[in-house]
């Protein structure tokens, strides 16, 4: 059960608690209203009996006898008798309920005497005798069934409206974000609109942001790739046009022109091949099912080829490789990645210097370090060296700036990492780390 379930669950219980609180508040207010209300006159056979008895006591025993009888009756019975004189004072000095007194004076004039009487003491003093309703036995307060339904409905509507607003607000934000993305605004992010929510809807919003960011990156990469490819193709195509024009103008130079055309056509073919490889790796379709690859044998083969080419230009390649080091992956892609890095080092190392290729196992990783003695790379540009078509300088050297970009994608496709750093004294070191196969070693 997810976090959204618990929010709905707590909303349900909040409805019950709200209904209970409203009902309790109404009952409490009603009880307080009853307790604060002034007692009214109580009319009935018990009250009539008490007033008749009090009247007889007053008429035959006088005020002292009635006062003693009232004190005794107040302690022994639940009926509180009031004897009020003409000035509105109770015989026992208690506060007199005005509403009950007014009603008692009206009833005292009735000869029937329905619970209130007027009696005279032997001394001639006149008293109104009556019994008010007792506050000691309040009637129970009950909320009508209809009122309970109204309370439950109001509480349910309030909590449902709050829950609906809470759930639909991020959904509206998601709809807005999807519409914006569908319109091509891939920079749209829904996270700021969702805020700090922690539920499945918020997770969906964060997934959308990741998707939009990835799409934005891919689209930007595609636009940059198209721009760079068009820029790279422009130069060889221009040279092809010039060679064709020269061949037409001077047939005697036909062989040289055809040689130039062939060279430029080969260059365009190589560029297209590199671009296709880069595109396949970026889309993830350039990898096949993993297989066991002896990385030591692969690096040794590449190193021997590089050594043969380096010696022709006055450079050397030194190999430090174990007998066996097995990784899991695609042998063709790994060969492409390692070859691009080694050839790049041979290309830029200083004449008369050597390129060191060292492969070793460290814990569960295979570490390949290729170190040259070239000019290195400015520190501020180290992070860009793996970007497609990035070249530090346009020195007329062959190459398209795709070798290290392809190597990075190939290594990442195998769950590895690649990085570059300058070395003291001049030169560049490129380090590749790849996960080892379980049970493999040097």
């Amino acid at each position: 059960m997810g976090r959204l379930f618990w929010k709905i669950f707590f909303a349900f219980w909040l409805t019950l608690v709200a209904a209970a609180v409203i009902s309790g508040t109404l009952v409490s207010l009603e009880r307080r209203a009853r307790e604060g209300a002034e007692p009214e006159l109580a009319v009935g056979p018990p009250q009539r009996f008490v007033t008749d008895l009090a009247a007889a006591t007053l008429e035959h025993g006088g005020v002292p006898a009635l006062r003693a009888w009232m004190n005794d009756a107040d302690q022994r019975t639940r009926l509180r008798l009031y004897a009020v004189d003409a000035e509105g004072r109770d015989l026992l000095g208690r506060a007199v309920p005005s509403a009950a007194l007014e009603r008692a004076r009206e009833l005292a004039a009735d000869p029937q005497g329905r619970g209130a009487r007027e009696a005279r003491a032997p001394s001639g003093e006149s008293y109104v005798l009556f019994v008010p309703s007792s506050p000691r036995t309040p009637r129970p307060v009950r909320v009508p069934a209809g009122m309970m339904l109204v309370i439950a409905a109001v509480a349910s509507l309030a909590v449902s409206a709050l829950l609906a607003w809470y759930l639909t607000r991020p959904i509206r934000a998601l709809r807005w974000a999807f519409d914006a993305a569908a319109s091509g605004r891939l920079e749209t992010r829904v996270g700021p609109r969702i805020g700090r929510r922690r539920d499945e809807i918020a997770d969906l919003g964060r997934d959308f942001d990741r998707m939009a960011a990835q799409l934005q990156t891919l689209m930007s990469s595609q636009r940059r790739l198209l721009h760079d490819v068009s820029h790279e193709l422009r130069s060889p195509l221009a040279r092809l046009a010039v060679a064709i024009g020269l061949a037409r103008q001077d047939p005697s130079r036909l062989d040289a022109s055809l040689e130039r055309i062939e060279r430029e056509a080969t260059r365009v073919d190589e560029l297209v091949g590199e671009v296709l490889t880069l595109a396949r790796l970026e889309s993830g379709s350039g990898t096949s099912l993993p297989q066991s690859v002896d990385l030591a044998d692969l690096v040794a083969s590449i190193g021997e080829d590089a050594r043969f080419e380096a010696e022709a230009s006055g450079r050397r390649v030194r190999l430090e490789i174990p007998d066996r080091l097995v990784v899991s992956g695609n042998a063709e892609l790994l060969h492409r990645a390692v070859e691009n890095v080694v050839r790049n080092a041979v290309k830029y190392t200083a004449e008369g210097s050597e390129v060191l290729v060292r492969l070793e196992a460290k814990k569960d990783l295979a570490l390949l370090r290729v170190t040259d003695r070239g000019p290195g790379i400015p520190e501020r540009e180290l992070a860009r060296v793996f970007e497609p078509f990035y070249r530090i300088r346009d020195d007329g050297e062959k190459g398209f700036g795709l070798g290290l970009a392809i190597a990075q994608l190939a290594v990442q496709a195998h769950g590895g990492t690649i990085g570059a750093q300058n070395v003291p004294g001049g030169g560049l070191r490129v380090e590749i780390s790849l996960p080892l196969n379980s049970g493999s070693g040097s």
Side-chain angles (χ1 to χ4, degrees):
M1 291 181 288
R3 290 160 289 184
L4 195 58
F5 165 81
W6 290 109
K7 291 182 178 181
I8 297 175
F9 175 79
F10 287 129
F12 170 77
W13 278 102
L14 179 61
T15 304
L16 297 182
V17 171
V21 169
I22 295 174
S23 301
T25 302
L26 292 178
V27 170
S28 177
L29 293 176
E30 178 69 16
R31 180 176 289 112
R32 289 182 181 180
R34 290 188 180 184
E35 291 176 353
E38 194 175 65
E40 298 179 355
L41 182 66
V43 177
Q47 289 79 14
R48 182 175 181 178
F49 175 76
V50 170
T51 54
D52 288 344
L53 187 59
T57 303
L58 177 63
E59 291 172 354
H60 296 287
V63 174
L66 179 60
R67 180 180 290 111
W69 183 84
M70 288 176 63
N71 284 326
D72 185 65
D74 188 59
Q75 296 177 1
R76 293 178 178 273
T77 67
R78 301 178 63 182
L79 296 175
R80 304 182 66 188
L81 177 68
Y82 281 77
V84 182
D85 60 16
E87 296 180 1
R89 294 174 299 184
D90 178 52
L91 188 60
L92 299 181
R94 296 167 297 182
V96 180
S98 57
L101 175 60
E102 183 178 355
R103 180 61 176 160
R105 284 173 175 170
E106 293 177 0
L107 294 179
D110 186 359
Q112 297 291 333
R114 294 180 299 173
R117 288 193 57 180
E118 185 174 0
R120 290 182 177 276
S123 59
E125 298 171 347
S126 177
Y127 289 88
V128 176
L129 306 174
F130 64 92
V131 178
S133 59
S134 176
R136 298 178 183 177
T137 57
R139 291 176 296 171
V141 180
R142 295 179 180 177
V143 180
M147 181 62 71
M148 285 295 297
L149 290 177
V150 172
I151 293 173
V154 170
S156 299
L157 285 174
V159 175
S160 298
L162 180 63
L163 184 62
W165 173 83
Y166 182 78
L167 294 178
T168 56
R169 186 170 64 93
I171 293 177
R172 287 195 296 269
L174 280 170
R175 290 188 60 189
W176 166 82
F178 277 112
D179 289 340
S183 301
R185 300 195 301 272
L186 296 178
E187 73 279 1
T188 301
R189 299 293 181 269
V190 75
R193 289 176 174 254
I194 291 180
R196 298 183 178 181
R197 290 176 64 106
R198 292 293 181 269
D199 54 31
E200 286 76 6
I201 298 179
D203 293 342
L204 179 61
R206 285 184 281 272
D207 290 341
F208 171 84
D209 286 350
R210 285 194 295 270
M211 178 193 71
Q214 183 67 16
L215 287 175
Q216 186 179 18
T217 301
L218 291 175
M219 291 297 293
S220 299
S221 175
Q222 183 185 48
R223 294 190 185 101
R224 186 177 66 250
L225 181 63
L226 289 174
H227 174 270
D228 293 339
V229 168
S230 63
H231 176 75
E232 291 293 332
L233 284 174
R234 189 174 290 114
S235 296
L237 289 177
R239 288 192 290 269
L240 279 172
V242 171
I244 293 173
L246 290 175
R248 287 175 176 174
Q249 294 176 5
D250 188 0
S252 63
R253 300 180 60 182
L254 181 61
D255 291 339
S257 298
L258 288 176
E259 184 179 350
R260 166 62 72 173
I261 291 173
E262 182 181 9
R263 187 161 59 249
E264 297 301 335
T266 302
R267 182 176 176 82
V268 171
D269 181 66
E270 291 175 354
L271 174 60
V272 172
E274 295 283 304
V275 170
L276 289 176
T277 301
L278 184 69
R280 283 196 298 268
L281 288 173
E282 285 184 338
S283 64
S285 60
T287 58
S288 59
L289 294 177
Q291 56 188 350
S292 295
V293 179
D294 187 351
L295 189 61
D297 182 64
L298 183 145
V299 173
S301 174
I302 295 172
E304 290 299 329
D305 293 340
R307 178 183 290 167
F308 177 77
E309 297 175 6
E311 288 176 352
S313 58
R315 297 171 174 88
R316 301 183 303 279
V317 175
R318 179 158 59 95
L319 304 177
E320 295 182 3
I321 301 172
D323 294 335
R324 180 176 174 81
L325 203 59
V326 180
V327 298
S328 178
N330 183 296
E332 180 182 354
L333 283 182
L334 290 175
H335 187 281
R336 190 71 173 270
V338 174
E339 184 180 39
N340 285 347
V341 172
V342 173
R343 286 184 178 275
N344 194 70
V346 172
K347 174 182 175 181
Y348 286 104
T349 194
E351 188 174 350
S353 65
E354 72 173 11
V355 173
L356 174 61
V357 179
R358 175 180 293 172
L359 177 65
E360 61 181 342
K362 189 172 182 180
K363 295 183 179 179
D364 56 348
L365 294 176
L367 296 180
L368 173 65
R369 296 185 179 92
V370 180
T371 307
D372 64 55
R373 288 299 174 180
I377 299 176
E379 291 293 334
R380 64 180 181 278
E381 300 188 25
L382 273 175
R384 300 188 56 197
V385 73
F386 296 101
E387 293 180 5
F389 295 103
Y390 175 76
R391 284 175 289 194
I392 301 173
R393 63 187 69 84
D394 188 9
D395 53 6
E397 294 283 348
K398 293 182 179 180
F400 309 104
L402 293 175
L404 292 181
I406 292 174
Q408 182 186 48
L409 291 175
V411 169
Q412 290 176 348
H414 288 79
T417 59
I418 184 172
Q421 61 180 355
N422 291 313
V423 295
L428 182 73
R429 176 182 295 122
V430 177
E431 180 175 308
I432 297 175
S433 65
L434 294 167
L436 282 172
N437 253 2
S438 58
S440 66
S442 58

